[in-house]
Amino acid sequence: MAETSQKALQQQILIDDSSIPDWLLTEILQRLPVKHIFKFKCVSKRWFILISDPFFARLYSTRINTSLSTSQPWNLLFRYLYEVRIVPSSMIDTRIALKQSQDFSSPGLSLNFLPYSKHDCPIKILASSNGLLLCCETFYWQKNYYICNPLIQQWIALPKPPKAIKSVAVGFICKDGHYEVIRFPTANYGPSNTLRLETFSSETGKWHCSIVNCPVLDYYIKTDSPVVHYNGSLHWLEFRHSKIITYDPHNGTNTGLHLMNLPDDKQSEHLSLLGVSRGCFRYFEVTDTCFGPRDLRVWVLSDYDAQRWCLEYRIKFSGSWIDEVNEFIPKDNFYIFPLALHPHEFDIVYLGYGGCLVSYNLGTRKLDVVHRNFYSHQLLAFVFSPWPTTIPQPFW
């Protein structure tokens, strides 16, 4: 009886789809989640050809981009930890409190496929661009870089940089099938107003070194805030002068690093970060005081060329959070620090508070615990591309 049922099930699974026209099968496949589509390439030769066709990728991307009810999927990634952990956006959106560290591992989305030699110090996530991640084995003395797509588990290793530098600010841009990695020292203490900048291009397969102008002699890059690619330029928070350092790798007439102003009424020197929400460049800070009320502030850059900032939110913690906090965190003066901006929702930010990772709605003043026993300062909001970005095979 059991054998008969198993054979009947196999017959139901092995259905002949020859009577289904290509256009109809394409319509069906493009409505599936992207992580399943790549698995379905193995179903048959016909399915492999349909899904691999560039027309299918364009059709799938167009449907995602024109859907008013669908936002591009994203994940909250932990950049520097002793374990590779990822919080799925579905868990964040449903406010599921993750109780154990292993719950951060998302099925089907892991960085365990990347090779690295030091298993006691796993891979570090440095930056993201167009659905790809730039990773490295170490935080200091970086030399082994990897570019990967965690969704389809594709990766390549880059050639080692020409010079060993203890601490570098790193940028990553992927566009039109090509990618670039930019790096330069995180600090400059010398008398010269120039610095050594190294660029790797997938078009040449080599690192290129250049001497570029530096806007200040004694800059210091804030490495715990992820680099932001916006308006064609890379942006890093600069700590010593409270500025933003920018670099446009494709501006042939005005090369070098440049300074951008932060909001005039900013207060925090340490607890701040840059980010992009729904296409808008934003600055997020928490006033860095251990006593008394602390402010949470968010600005949006209303005019990029004029460097004009507009204050969106200013919220005092005392008075707004007491009722919610009482439920799960004592009312002591806990250390509060900003972690990330929601890439699709203006009102939602992520904070470290009282040993917890929390989400906070700036509009409703509602705070929810995402994970307890959390002490990392390193998060990255990683947005997937509508269609997985494939990495060209290296020729070097």
Side-chain angles (χ1 to χ4, degrees), residues 221-239:
I221 299 295
K222 191 174 185 289
T223 55
D224 60 348
S225 178
V227 60
V228 176
H229 181 217
Y230 182 79
N231 198 36
S233 295
L234 295 164
H235 302 75
W236 295 268
L237 271 180
E238 195 277 331
F239 175 75

Side-chain angles (χ1 to χ4, degrees), residues 136-271:
C136 189
E137 293 181 357
T138 58
F139 181 73
Y140 293 109
W141 301 108
Q142 296 174 5
K143 59 180 181 178
N144 296 319
Y145 291 104
Y146 304 98
I147 293 176
C148 71
N149 186 323
L151 190 64
I152 59 177
Q153 298 193 357
Q154 183 189 14
W155 65 275
I156 61 167
L158 302 186
K160 293 182 179 180
K163 185 177 181 180
I165 304 175
K166 180 179 180 180
S167 180
V168 290
V170 179
F172 177 44
I173 299 175
C174 175
K175 186 178 180 181
D176 299 328
H178 303 289
Y179 52 86
E180 291 178 299
V181 176
I182 295 95
R183 64 178 226 157
F184 59 93
T186 56
N188 181 26
Y189 303 102
S192 174
N193 63 346
T194 61
L195 58 83
R196 175 190 174 99
L197 185 141
E198 300 173 342
T199 302
F200 177 85
S201 171
S202 62
E203 294 184 313
T204 63
K206 299 179 180 179
W207 287 91
H208 172 72
C209 300
S210 57
I211 304 299
V212 299
N213 293 325
C214 180
V216 287
L217 296 179
D218 56 343
Y219 73 86
Y220 188 88
I221 299 295
K222 191 174 185 289
T223 55
D224 60 348
S225 178
V227 60
V228 176
H229 181 217
Y230 182 79
N231 198 36
S233 295
L234 295 164
H235 302 75
W236 295 268
L237 271 180
E238 195 277 331
F239 175 75
R240 187 164 286 131
H241 300 274
S242 295
K243 300 287 186 179
I244 301 173
I245 287 185
T246 71
Y247 177 68
D248 182 354
H250 302 120
N251 189 343
T253 60
N254 193 13
T255 59
L257 304 181
H258 299 276
L259 287 182
M260 175 183 287
N261 291 325
L262 286 168
D264 293 333
D265 51 345
K266 69 174 291 294
Q267 293 185 7
S268 178
E269 298 296 333
H270 306 279
L271 308 178

Side-chain angles (χ1 to χ4, degrees), residues 30 56-67 386:
Q30 69 165 317
F56 184 89
R58 291 195 299 270
L59 194 66
Y60 192 93
S61 300
T62 301
R63 187 184 66 82
I64 293 295
N65 290 330
T66 56
S67 174

Side-chain angles (χ1 to χ4, degrees), residues 92-103:
I92 293 174
D93 291 340
T94 55
R95 303 296 189 264
I96 295 177
L98 305 179
K99 298 179 180 179
Q100 298 179 0
S101 61
Q102 57 263 33
D103 290 337

